[in-house]
């Protein structure tokens, strides 16, 4: 800086002396100042051009502020280049790693448009990057389930869906969406054909075995019923054995029927129906059957139902789910216990709730109760002839009606099972009746 001041002072001093000699001090000083300004302006312009195009233009090399400025800019430029090189190295490594992934990975923006895709996306989804950049993913994979998934899925929860590949109908893909950054989403597709095949084999096996068992069981049941009807003709020592055989045949029939029901429920998708379930009436029937099941145990029932609240769904399935919960409450509550049944609606939707003050369930067992054949209380379940499939049926029925099962329980104090239905399957019974009678007229 001091160099610039010294230079300016020297120029002005020389101009002053020349001015004294020629007798025009102010005019010469003015000309010298103007010259300095023009020179500075030129240096500034040179600096600007050099910043814009460092390969073609030389920086101003005059010692002082311009020299320092160009050196400082040069230093920043080199540092920026180094950082850029490092970042593009990282980016290249990341892209190489994700390209090597066997799962198709696609980066989507908040409008579901493709920003980037790896190599596996070509084989699994027929998405080519960069050719398909900025295309909407739903234009390339035309699946209504995918559109629904992108719009409605609980993506934070890591939900997945399985769809058939549009490239090969034999290939099953599991799709998952991972939100990240500012409204960006990672769309991951995995080939699950082998797992899906194993699931199919398991389903077919269970369905076939259950089906094959049905006929011999019916024959056995027929003979055992005849024997029991003519009990008095049987030798006395055989009577308990025939009774035990009949009970066990009953149990096997229950297991086979429940397994067949689960297999059927698994095959069906979400319920799509206009069938109205008149829940208050249904609860009345279930209550009567529960009283019969309770028999000498004389449980106390407390029922609170919204008389106008109905559901859109399958009557037989809802009956099966609700009765399973109520009958379980009867089976797992000691004599004289209290069973509360509630059917109500609130902001979140409609709820069917069964509470008891029975034996309760340990916290570790609760998450596993809806698994097939899982029993928290082995001996009691077998004692009452339970198949261990009741809650599994409840889970499948609710899944088909887009409802969820919520379980709370404390050992020795009791349990609460609640089915939460979304608002759009709720319906008003009186208005539905009016609608139907209106149509008839
Ligand atoms: P199960 O035929 O054995 O009753 P479920 O699938 O209906 O089969 O129930 C699974 C298990 O959950 C039962 O074996 C029992 O241990 C437990 N359970 C279900 N309902 C209740 C309840 N209300 N109170 C206590 N335990 C229950």
């Amino acid at each position: 800086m001091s160099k610039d001041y010294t230079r300016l002072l020297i120029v002005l001093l020389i101009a002053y002396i020349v001015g004294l000699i020629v007798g025009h001090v102010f005019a010469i000083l003015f000309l010298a100042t103007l010259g300095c300004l023009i020179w500075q302006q030129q240096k500034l312009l040179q600096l600007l051009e050099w910043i814009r195009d460092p390969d073609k233009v030389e920086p101003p090399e005059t010692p002082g502020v311009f020299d320092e400025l160009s050196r400082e800019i040069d230093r920043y430029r080199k540092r920026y280049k180094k950082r850029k090189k490092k970042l593009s190295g990282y980016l290249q490594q990341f892209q190489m790693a994700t390209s090597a992934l066997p799962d198709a990975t696609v980066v989507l923006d908040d409008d579901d448009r493709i920003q980037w895709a790896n190599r596996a996306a070509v084989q699994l989804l027929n998405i080519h990057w960069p050719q398909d950049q900025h295309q909407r993913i739903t234009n390339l994979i035309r699946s209504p389930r995918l559109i629904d998934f992108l719009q409605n899925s609980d993506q934070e929860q890591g939900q997945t869906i399985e769809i058939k590949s549009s490239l090969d109908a034999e290939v099953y893909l599991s799709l998952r969406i991972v939100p990240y950054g500012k409204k960006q989403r990672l769309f991951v597709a995995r080939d699950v054909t082998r797992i899906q095949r194993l699931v199919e084999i398991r389903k077919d096996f269970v369905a076939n075995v259950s089906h094959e068992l049905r006929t011999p069981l019916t024959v056995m049941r027929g003979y055992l019923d005849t024997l029991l009807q003519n009990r008095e003709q049987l030798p006395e020592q055989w009577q308990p054995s025939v009774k035990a055989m009949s009970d066990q045949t009953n149990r096997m029939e229950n297991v086979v029927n429940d397994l067949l029901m689960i297999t059927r429920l698994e095959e069906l998708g979400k319920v799509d129906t206009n069938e109205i379930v008149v829940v208050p009436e249904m609860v009345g029937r279930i209550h009567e059957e529960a009283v019969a099941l309770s028999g000498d145990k004389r449980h106390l029932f407390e029922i609170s139902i919204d008389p106008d609240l109905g559901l859109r769904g399958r009557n037989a399935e809802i009956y099966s789910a609700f009765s399973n919960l109520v009958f379980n409450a009867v089976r797992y509550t000691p004599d004289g216990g209290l069973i509360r049944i509630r059917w109500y609606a609130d902001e979140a939707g409609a709820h069917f709730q069964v509470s008891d003050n029975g034996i309760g369930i340990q916290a570790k067992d609760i998450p596993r109760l809806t698994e097939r054949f899982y029993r928290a209380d082995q001996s009691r379940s077998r004692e009452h002839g339970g198949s261990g499939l009741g809650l599994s049926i409840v889970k499948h029925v609710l899944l088909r009606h887009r409802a969820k099962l919520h379980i709370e329980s404390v050992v020795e104090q009791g349990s609460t099972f609640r089915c939460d239905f979304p608002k759009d399957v709720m319906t008003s019974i009186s208005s539905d009746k009016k609608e139907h009678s209106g149509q008839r007229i």
Side-chain angles (χ1 to χ4, degrees), residues 167-234:
L167 297 175
D168 183 350
E170 299 282 299
V171 173
Y172 279 90
L173 299 175
S174 163
L175 308 181
R176 185 182 182 145
I177 291 171
V178 189
Y180 76 99
K182 276 189 186 165
K183 292 188 177 173
Q184 276 180 313
R185 301 192 280 181
L186 207 61
F187 178 85
V188 186
R190 169 174 293 181
D191 185 345
V192 288
T193 315
R194 272 195 56 205
I195 302 170
Q196 196 65 29
R197 266 206 200 118
L198 287 174
V199 172
E200 299 281 332
I201 291 170
R202 180 194 42 89
K203 266 192 212 165
D204 287 351
F205 176 75
V206 173
N208 291 340
V209 169
S210 312
H211 221 83
E212 290 301 321
L213 281 175
R214 238 182 171 177
T215 321
L217 277 173
T218 315
V219 175
M220 275 165 71
R221 153 125 330 278
Y223 284 126
L224 286 166
D225 280 352
T226 318
L227 284 174
L228 282 175
Q229 273 161 18
N230 304 299
R231 200 181 301 220
E232 58 291 342
Q233 292 173 26
L234 282 174

Side-chain angles (χ1 to χ4, degrees), residues 50 246 399:
W50 172 69
S246 171
L399 208 68

Side-chain angles (χ1 to χ4, degrees), residues 271 273-282 285 308-316 318 401 424-433 435-436:
V271 164
T273 175
N274 278 330
E275 201 173 304
I276 306 295
V277 184
V278 184
V279 180
E281 220 174 87
M282 185 182 275
R285 265 186 291 143
D308 192 39
L309 184 59
L311 272 183
R312 280 178 203 282
R314 294 269 175 225
N315 268 288
I318 297 288
H401 290 78
D424 52 347
V425 297
M426 274 166 52
T427 178
S428 151
I429 295 167
S430 54
S431 66
D432 266 310
K433 271 186 186 153
E435 234 174 67
H436 281 99

Side-chain angles (χ1 to χ4, degrees), residues 302-334:
E302 220 178 79
I303 299 177
S304 143
I305 40 177
D306 180 339
D308 192 39
L309 184 59
L311 272 183
R312 280 178 203 282
R314 294 269 175 225
N315 268 288
E317 291 176 23
I318 297 288
Y319 178 82
S320 172
F322 289 2
S323 59
N324 255 309
L325 295 179
V326 176
F327 299 164
N328 270 352
V330 173
R331 285 169 189 142
Y332 298 104
T333 303

